[in-house]
């Protein structure tokens, strides 16, 4: 499955214009989680084993520090600075440094890495 991520969407996540659930859903889709309407549950068949083992259902990245740490660690080293390099994001101000915002930034950085790896850079 290919998730198309635009810069506009990424900025909406960073600027808190997209709900936490919508932001997380983009990562879930990219990881391979699919909602099965008929069974009323998540299908993790397409999710990589290292994610499926720890998270048989999509992790709540905004609420869960361990899930966010795993997300951060899964970003390949060459893509760790894409927030700055590709979006020109300078970070949050000191008074904005709260876990929820920093976790949203992690989601955006992961989505940028995903986009780069998929070769689907959509500006």
């Amino acid at each position: 499955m290919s998730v198309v991520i635009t810069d506009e969407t990424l900025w909406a996540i960073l600027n808190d214009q997209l709900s936490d659930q919508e932001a997380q859903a983009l990562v879930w889709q990219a990881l391979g989680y699919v909602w099965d309407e008929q069974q009323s549950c998540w299908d993790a068949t397409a999710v990589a084993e290292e994610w499926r083992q720890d998270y048989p259902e999509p992790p709540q990245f905004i609420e869960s520090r361990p899930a966010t740490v795993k997300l951060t660690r899964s970003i390949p080293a060459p893509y760790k600075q894409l927030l700055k390099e590709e979006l020109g994001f300078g970070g949050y101000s000191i008074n904005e440094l709260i876990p929820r915002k920093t976790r949203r930034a992690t989601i955006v950085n992961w989505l940028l890495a995903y986009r780069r790896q998929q070769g689907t850079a959509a500006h």
Side-chain angles (χ1 to χ4, degrees):
M1 167 188 290
S2 179
V3 179
V4 178
I5 307 297
T6 65
D7 285 359
E8 183 178 90
T9 300
L10 297 172
W11 279 110
I13 295 169
L14 290 169
N15 293 326
D16 215 358
Q17 298 165 336
L18 204 63
S19 74
D20 290 349
Q21 202 65 13
E22 291 170 305
Q24 294 178 122
L26 293 170
V27 179
W28 298 340
Q29 289 174 36
L31 287 171
Y33 293 98
V34 177
W35 179 252
D36 183 333
E37 289 287 338
Q38 297 207 351
Q39 301 290 332
S40 293
C41 66
W42 288 98
D43 179 357
T45 308
V47 177
E49 179 61 30
E50 65 265 15
W51 280 98
R52 190 174 55 236
Q53 180 179 340
D54 292 340
Y55 300 100
E57 292 193 356
Q60 297 295 320
F61 294 109
I62 303 296
E63 299 169 12
S64 170
R65 183 181 182 281
T68 305
V69 168
K70 185 177 181 88
L71 195 66
T72 300
R73 289 181 178 158
S74 72
I75 300 170
Y79 302 142
K80 296 276 187 191
Q81 297 297 315
L82 288 180
L83 267 173
K84 206 179 305 181
E85 294 170 2
E86 201 164 305
L87 286 186
F89 181 65
Y92 294 113
S93 63
I94 294 293
N95 63 334
E96 293 178 300
L97 287 176
I98 58 173
R100 186 175 163 277
K101 285 220 174 197
T102 56
R103 290 174 185 163
R104 289 173 75 86
T106 298
I107 285 172
V108 170
N109 202 45
W110 189 91
L111 289 168
L112 282 163
Y114 171 81
R115 184 171 81 173
R116 181 73 63 90
Q117 290 173 307
Q118 298 301 306
T120 57
H123 304 285

PDB file of all heavy atoms in Angstrom, residues 51-69:
ATOM      1  N   TRP A  51       6.958  -4.725  14.130  1.00  0.00           N
ATOM      2  CA  TRP A  51       5.865  -3.881  14.616  1.00  0.00           C
ATOM      3  C   TRP A  51       4.695  -4.739  15.102  1.00  0.00           C
ATOM      4  O   TRP A  51       4.126  -4.488  16.155  1.00  0.00           O
ATOM      5  CB  TRP A  51       5.385  -2.917  13.522  1.00  0.00           C
ATOM      6  CG  TRP A  51       6.283  -1.734  13.411  1.00  0.00           C
ATOM      7  CD1 TRP A  51       7.295  -1.546  12.510  1.00  0.00           C
ATOM      8  CD2 TRP A  51       6.279  -0.569  14.244  1.00  0.00           C
ATOM      9  NE1 TRP A  51       7.923  -0.348  12.735  1.00  0.00           N
ATOM     10  CE2 TRP A  51       7.307   0.279  13.792  1.00  0.00           C
ATOM     11  CE3 TRP A  51       5.503  -0.163  15.324  1.00  0.00           C
ATOM     12  CZ2 TRP A  51       7.588   1.502  14.388  1.00  0.00           C
ATOM     13  CZ3 TRP A  51       5.774   1.061  15.914  1.00  0.00           C
ATOM     14  CH2 TRP A  51       6.805   1.874  15.453  1.00  0.00           C
ATOM     15  N   ARG A  52       4.341  -5.735  14.331  1.00  0.00           N
ATOM     16  CA  ARG A  52       3.192  -6.589  14.652  1.00  0.00           C
ATOM     17  C   ARG A  52       3.393  -7.296  15.998  1.00  0.00           C
ATOM     18  O   ARG A  52       2.460  -7.457  16.777  1.00  0.00           O
ATOM     19  CB  ARG A  52       2.970  -7.596  13.531  1.00  0.00           C
ATOM     20  CG  ARG A  52       1.676  -8.360  13.646  1.00  0.00           C
ATOM     21  CD  ARG A  52       1.395  -9.246  12.444  1.00  0.00           C
ATOM     22  NE  ARG A  52       2.473 -10.153  12.174  1.00  0.00           N
ATOM     23  CZ  ARG A  52       3.123 -10.231  10.998  1.00  0.00           C
ATOM     24  NH1 ARG A  52       2.781  -9.473   9.984  1.00  0.00           N
ATOM     25  NH2 ARG A  52       4.098 -11.086  10.835  1.00  0.00           N
ATOM     26  N   GLN A  53       4.628  -7.690  16.276  1.00  0.00           N
ATOM     27  CA  GLN A  53       4.935  -8.391  17.525  1.00  0.00           C
ATOM     28  C   GLN A  53       4.647  -7.499  18.737  1.00  0.00           C
ATOM     29  O   GLN A  53       4.016  -7.934  19.699  1.00  0.00           O
ATOM     30  CB  GLN A  53       6.403  -8.808  17.510  1.00  0.00           C
ATOM     31  CG  GLN A  53       6.850  -9.546  18.743  1.00  0.00           C
ATOM     32  CD  GLN A  53       8.312  -9.943  18.639  1.00  0.00           C
ATOM     33  OE1 GLN A  53       8.895 -10.015  17.565  1.00  0.00           O
ATOM     34  NE2 GLN A  53       8.920 -10.189  19.774  1.00  0.00           N
ATOM     35  N   ASP A  54       5.102  -6.254  18.689  1.00  0.00           N
ATOM     36  CA  ASP A  54       4.894  -5.333  19.818  1.00  0.00           C
ATOM     37  C   ASP A  54       3.515  -4.679  19.794  1.00  0.00           C
ATOM     38  O   ASP A  54       2.973  -4.323  20.840  1.00  0.00           O
ATOM     39  CB  ASP A  54       5.951  -4.229  19.810  1.00  0.00           C
ATOM     40  CG  ASP A  54       7.347  -4.746  20.113  1.00  0.00           C
ATOM     41  OD1 ASP A  54       7.461  -5.846  20.697  1.00  0.00           O
ATOM     42  OD2 ASP A  54       8.325  -4.051  19.774  1.00  0.00           O
ATOM     43  N   TYR A  55       2.973  -4.493  18.592  1.00  0.00           N
ATOM     44  CA  TYR A  55       1.711  -3.768  18.436  1.00  0.00           C
ATOM     45  C   TYR A  55       0.786  -4.501  17.464  1.00  0.00           C
ATOM     46  O   TYR A  55       0.723  -4.170  16.284  1.00  0.00           O
ATOM     47  CB  TYR A  55       1.975  -2.339  17.938  1.00  0.00           C
ATOM     48  CG  TYR A  55       2.843  -1.553  18.897  1.00  0.00           C
ATOM     49  CD1 TYR A  55       4.205  -1.387  18.653  1.00  0.00           C
ATOM     50  CD2 TYR A  55       2.305  -1.004  20.056  1.00  0.00           C
ATOM     51  CE1 TYR A  55       5.006  -0.693  19.541  1.00  0.00           C
ATOM     52  CE2 TYR A  55       3.099  -0.302  20.942  1.00  0.00           C
ATOM     53  CZ  TYR A  55       4.454  -0.159  20.684  1.00  0.00           C
ATOM     54  OH  TYR A  55       5.238   0.532  21.566  1.00  0.00           O
ATOM     55  N   PRO A  56       0.055  -5.506  17.956  1.00  0.00           N
ATOM     56  CA  PRO A  56      -0.876  -6.216  17.085  1.00  0.00           C
ATOM     57  C   PRO A  56      -2.003  -5.299  16.587  1.00  0.00           C
ATOM     58  O   PRO A  56      -2.612  -5.558  15.565  1.00  0.00           O
ATOM     59  CB  PRO A  56      -1.417  -7.345  17.957  1.00  0.00           C
ATOM     60  CG  PRO A  56      -1.014  -7.023  19.353  1.00  0.00           C
ATOM     61  CD  PRO A  56       0.111  -6.052  19.293  1.00  0.00           C
ATOM     62  N   GLU A  57      -2.242  -4.225  17.327  1.00  0.00           N
ATOM     63  CA  GLU A  57      -3.152  -3.161  16.891  1.00  0.00           C
ATOM     64  C   GLU A  57      -2.320  -1.892  16.764  1.00  0.00           C
ATOM     65  O   GLU A  57      -1.287  -1.757  17.423  1.00  0.00           O
ATOM     66  CB  GLU A  57      -4.280  -2.963  17.908  1.00  0.00           C
ATOM     67  CG  GLU A  57      -5.214  -4.147  17.953  1.00  0.00           C
ATOM     68  CD  GLU A  57      -6.493  -3.829  18.702  1.00  0.00           C
ATOM     69  OE1 GLU A  57      -6.619  -2.713  19.251  1.00  0.00           O
ATOM     70  OE2 GLU A  57      -7.369  -4.703  18.723  1.00  0.00           O
ATOM     71  N   PRO A  58      -2.747  -0.946  15.944  1.00  0.00           N
ATOM     72  CA  PRO A  58      -1.956   0.266  15.736  1.00  0.00           C
ATOM     73  C   PRO A  58      -1.640   0.990  17.049  1.00  0.00           C
ATOM     74  O   PRO A  58      -2.533   1.185  17.878  1.00  0.00           O
ATOM     75  CB  PRO A  58      -2.854   1.141  14.860  1.00  0.00           C
ATOM     76  CG  PRO A  58      -3.805   0.202  14.206  1.00  0.00           C
ATOM     77  CD  PRO A  58      -3.999  -0.918  15.180  1.00  0.00           C
ATOM     78  N   PRO A  59      -0.390   1.350  17.237  1.00  0.00           N
ATOM     79  CA  PRO A  59      -0.009   2.043  18.471  1.00  0.00           C
ATOM     80  C   PRO A  59      -0.495   3.492  18.493  1.00  0.00           C
ATOM     81  O   PRO A  59      -0.594   4.144  17.455  1.00  0.00           O
ATOM     82  CB  PRO A  59       1.520   1.990  18.457  1.00  0.00           C
ATOM     83  CG  PRO A  59       1.890   1.798  17.037  1.00  0.00           C
ATOM     84  CD  PRO A  59       0.751   1.086  16.377  1.00  0.00           C
ATOM     85  N   GLN A  60      -0.784   3.956  19.674  1.00  0.00           N
ATOM     86  CA  GLN A  60      -1.177   5.349  19.875  1.00  0.00           C
ATOM     87  C   GLN A  60       0.105   6.161  20.095  1.00  0.00           C
ATOM     88  O   GLN A  60       0.560   6.337  21.223  1.00  0.00           O
ATOM     89  CB  GLN A  60      -2.121   5.463  21.083  1.00  0.00           C
ATOM     90  CG  GLN A  60      -3.424   4.723  20.915  1.00  0.00           C
ATOM     91  CD  GLN A  60      -4.270   5.309  19.800  1.00  0.00           C
ATOM     92  OE1 GLN A  60      -4.368   6.514  19.610  1.00  0.00           O
ATOM     93  NE2 GLN A  60      -4.890   4.439  19.024  1.00  0.00           N
ATOM     94  N   PHE A  61       0.689   6.637  19.008  1.00  0.00           N
ATOM     95  CA  PHE A  61       1.976   7.325  19.075  1.00  0.00           C
ATOM     96  C   PHE A  61       1.942   8.581  19.940  1.00  0.00           C
ATOM     97  O   PHE A  61       2.906   8.888  20.621  1.00  0.00           O
ATOM     98  CB  PHE A  61       2.471   7.680  17.674  1.00  0.00           C
ATOM     99  CG  PHE A  61       2.803   6.479  16.844  1.00  0.00           C
ATOM    100  CD1 PHE A  61       2.007   6.121  15.775  1.00  0.00           C
ATOM    101  CD2 PHE A  61       3.903   5.702  17.140  1.00  0.00           C
ATOM    102  CE1 PHE A  61       2.299   5.004  15.010  1.00  0.00           C
ATOM    103  CE2 PHE A  61       4.215   4.582  16.386  1.00  0.00           C
ATOM    104  CZ  PHE A  61       3.403   4.234  15.312  1.00  0.00           C
ATOM    105  N   ILE A  62       0.854   9.311  19.909  1.00  0.00           N
ATOM    106  CA  ILE A  62       0.771  10.554  20.666  1.00  0.00           C
ATOM    107  C   ILE A  62       0.740  10.267  22.171  1.00  0.00           C
ATOM    108  O   ILE A  62       1.301  11.004  22.964  1.00  0.00           O
ATOM    109  CB  ILE A  62      -0.476  11.386  20.260  1.00  0.00           C
ATOM    110  CG1 ILE A  62      -0.471  11.675  18.755  1.00  0.00           C
ATOM    111  CG2 ILE A  62      -0.567  12.673  21.067  1.00  0.00           C
ATOM    112  CD1 ILE A  62       0.652  12.524  18.236  1.00  0.00           C
ATOM    113  N   GLU A  63       0.112   9.184  22.565  1.00  0.00           N
ATOM    114  CA  GLU A  63      -0.040   8.848  23.984  1.00  0.00           C
ATOM    115  C   GLU A  63       1.089   7.982  24.524  1.00  0.00           C
ATOM    116  O   GLU A  63       1.322   7.959  25.725  1.00  0.00           O
ATOM    117  CB  GLU A  63      -1.361   8.102  24.200  1.00  0.00           C
ATOM    118  CG  GLU A  63      -2.573   8.902  23.820  1.00  0.00           C
ATOM    119  CD  GLU A  63      -3.835   8.061  23.790  1.00  0.00           C
ATOM    120  OE1 GLU A  63      -3.818   6.904  24.271  1.00  0.00           O
ATOM    121  OE2 GLU A  63      -4.846   8.560  23.266  1.00  0.00           O
ATOM    122  N   SER A  64       1.774   7.256  23.653  1.00  0.00           N
ATOM    123  CA  SER A  64       2.721   6.246  24.103  1.00  0.00           C
ATOM    124  C   SER A  64       4.166   6.613  23.783  1.00  0.00           C
ATOM    125  O   SER A  64       4.582   6.613  22.624  1.00  0.00           O
ATOM    126  CB  SER A  64       2.389   4.908  23.444  1.00  0.00           C
ATOM    127  OG  SER A  64       3.410   3.973  23.668  1.00  0.00           O
ATOM    128  N   ARG A  65       4.921   6.889  24.837  1.00  0.00           N
ATOM    129  CA  ARG A  65       6.341   7.183  24.629  1.00  0.00           C
ATOM    130  C   ARG A  65       7.075   5.983  24.009  1.00  0.00           C
ATOM    131  O   ARG A  65       7.840   6.162  23.067  1.00  0.00           O
ATOM    132  CB  ARG A  65       6.994   7.609  25.946  1.00  0.00           C
ATOM    133  CG  ARG A  65       8.446   8.001  25.753  1.00  0.00           C
ATOM    134  CD  ARG A  65       9.106   8.415  27.072  1.00  0.00           C
ATOM    135  NE  ARG A  65      10.469   8.824  26.847  1.00  0.00           N
ATOM    136  CZ  ARG A  65      11.492   7.998  26.683  1.00  0.00           C
ATOM    137  NH1 ARG A  65      11.298   6.689  26.702  1.00  0.00           N
ATOM    138  NH2 ARG A  65      12.709   8.459  26.489  1.00  0.00           N
ATOM    139  N   PRO A  66       6.867   4.748  24.509  1.00  0.00           N
ATOM    140  CA  PRO A  66       7.576   3.613  23.900  1.00  0.00           C
ATOM    141  C   PRO A  66       7.295   3.452  22.400  1.00  0.00           C
ATOM    142  O   PRO A  66       8.200   3.151  21.626  1.00  0.00           O
ATOM    143  CB  PRO A  66       7.075   2.402  24.689  1.00  0.00           C
ATOM    144  CG  PRO A  66       6.649   2.961  26.004  1.00  0.00           C
ATOM    145  CD  PRO A  66       6.098   4.325  25.694  1.00  0.00           C
ATOM    146  N   ALA A  67       6.055   3.669  21.986  1.00  0.00           N
ATOM    147  CA  ALA A  67       5.725   3.549  20.561  1.00  0.00           C
ATOM    148  C   ALA A  67       6.430   4.636  19.758  1.00  0.00           C
ATOM    149  O   ALA A  67       6.930   4.388  18.653  1.00  0.00           O
ATOM    150  CB  ALA A  67       4.216   3.642  20.355  1.00  0.00           C
ATOM    151  N   THR A  68       6.505   5.837  20.319  1.00  0.00           N
ATOM    152  CA  THR A  68       7.171   6.940  19.623  1.00  0.00           C
ATOM    153  C   THR A  68       8.675   6.709  19.551  1.00  0.00           C
ATOM    154  O   THR A  68       9.313   7.014  18.546  1.00  0.00           O
ATOM    155  CB  THR A  68       6.864   8.286  20.315  1.00  0.00           C
ATOM    156  OG1 THR A  68       5.447   8.426  20.401  1.00  0.00           O
ATOM    157  CG2 THR A  68       7.419   9.448  19.522  1.00  0.00           C
ATOM    158  N   VAL A  69       9.249   6.155  20.610  1.00  0.00           N
ATOM    159  CA  VAL A  69      10.683   5.834  20.608  1.00  0.00           C
ATOM    160  C   VAL A  69      10.962   4.799  19.518  1.00  0.00           C
ATOM    161  O   VAL A  69      11.922   4.929  18.751  1.00  0.00           O
ATOM    162  CB  VAL A  69      11.150   5.333  21.996  1.00  0.00           C
ATOM    163  CG1 VAL A  69      12.541   4.725  21.924  1.00  0.00           C
ATOM    164  CG2 VAL A  69      11.116   6.478  23.007  1.00  0.00           C
TER     165      VAL A  69
END
